[in-house]
Amino acid sequence: MENSVSSYFVGVQGGLVMSMIAFSIVFIVICGLMFVMMGMKHVCRVLDSMQTAAKASPAVGTPSPAPAAKMVAAPAEDDSELLAVISAAIAAMYGSAARVVAFSPVKAPAATSWKLVGRIQNAEGFQD
């Protein structure tokens, strides 16, 4: 009589063996993904260094940009979308008379009463 594979995984021992096989597969996949992410980090670092090297050595015959006299919080390329969203929200709230001239990120204070209340509320169940 021929036994099928499922006949070996019967009972508590079979369940434990199947669990060990499943956990092993999961950890192997997680380790593989970790190695892929570590490899991508190195690949991205190399690509970034190549881009900065290309920007650092301009082509022959191109004039270098003149230094700016005064820069007032010029938004970066990534901040242009954020500036557009903030401007649209202000225009929706106050009409077209208001406009955004410049913006810069604000650092949150180290300790506020809101943070303290949040920490107290999160720790309510752990006082026993």
Side-chain angles (χ1 to χ4, degrees):
M1 179 172 164
E2 294 181 24
N3 290 334
S4 65
V5 175
S6 64
S7 65
Y8 295 106
F9 302 111
V10 178
V12 175
Q13 288 178 336
L16 290 174
V17 169
M18 284 298 289
S19 296
M20 294 303 290
I21 292 170
F23 284 132
S24 299
I25 291 172
V26 166
F27 286 122
I28 289 170
V29 169
I30 289 173
C31 288
L33 290 173
M34 180 188 68
F35 288 132
V36 166
M37 288 189 297
M38 289 171 60
M40 289 302 296
K41 179 175 71 171
H42 294 296
V43 168
C44 291
R45 186 177 298 142
V46 169
L47 291 176
D48 287 342
S49 66
M50 289 172 49
Q51 286 178 352
T52 55
K55 288 180 183 176
S57 61
V60 177
T62 56
S64 62
K70 264 190 182 177
M71 301 279 309
V72 179
E77 292 175 10
D78 298 334
D79 293 339
S80 61
E81 185 176 345
L82 179 62
L83 182 61
V85 170
I86 291 172
S87 299
I90 290 173
M93 199 66 181
Y94 298 108
S96 61
R99 67 180 186 149
V100 176
V101 177
F103 75 99
S104 63
V106 177
K107 232 178 182 184
T112 65
S113 57
W114 288 108
K115 285 184 181 179
L116 179 64
V117 170
R119 289 184 184 135
I120 290 171
Q121 287 179 347
N122 287 334
E124 282 180 355
F126 300 111
Q127 296 169 351
D128 295 334

